[in-house]
């Protein structure tokens, strides 16, 4: 299996965070659902869990695995 490089923005910016949205390619992950980059709430506790858009240019499958989704 070929090893792929994960883009720096994928690791640096949380999905739905204002910084990720403002990046040149722009994050398209749900902002409110991801508590604007702080993570989802589970039983009233915010955890580092995120919902991502599979087509997001920063956090989607293309960015993670190098796949092209059409």
């Amino acid at each position: 299996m070929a090893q792929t490089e994960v883009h720096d923005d994928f690791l640096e910016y949380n999905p739905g965070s204002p910084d990720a949205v403002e990046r040149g390619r722009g994050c398209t992950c749900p902002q409110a659902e991801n508590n604007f980059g702080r993570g989802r709430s589970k039983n009233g506790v915010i955890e580092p869990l995120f919902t991502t858009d599979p087509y997001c240019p920063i956090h989607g499958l293309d960015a993670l695995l190098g796949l092209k989704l059409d």
Side-chain angles (χ1 to χ4, degrees), residues 4-5 60-68:
T4 60
E5 290 185 25
L61 293 176
D62 182 28
L64 179 61
L65 304 174
L67 300 175
K68 295 292 182 191

Side-chain angles (χ1 to χ4, degrees), residues 53-65:
D53 173 5
Y55 296 97
C56 176
I58 297 175
H59 304 104
L61 293 176
D62 182 28
L64 179 61
L65 304 174

Side-chain angles (χ1 to χ4, degrees), residues 2-66:
Q3 185 174 4
T4 60
E5 290 185 25
V6 175
H7 194 276
D8 291 339
D9 288 348
F10 181 90
L11 299 173
E12 187 172 346
Y13 300 103
N14 288 342
S17 69
D19 289 339
V21 173
E22 292 173 7
R23 295 300 299 164
R25 295 175 308 204
C27 175
T28 57
C29 297
Q31 292 180 300
E33 188 173 333
N34 287 317
N35 199 17
F36 299 92
R38 291 186 293 272
R40 296 186 311 183
S41 175
K42 181 176 178 183
N43 297 326
V45 177
I46 294 177
E47 299 183 11
L49 300 172
F50 299 96
T51 299
T52 59
D53 173 5
Y55 296 97
C56 176
I58 297 175
H59 304 104
L61 293 176
D62 182 28
L64 179 61
L65 304 174

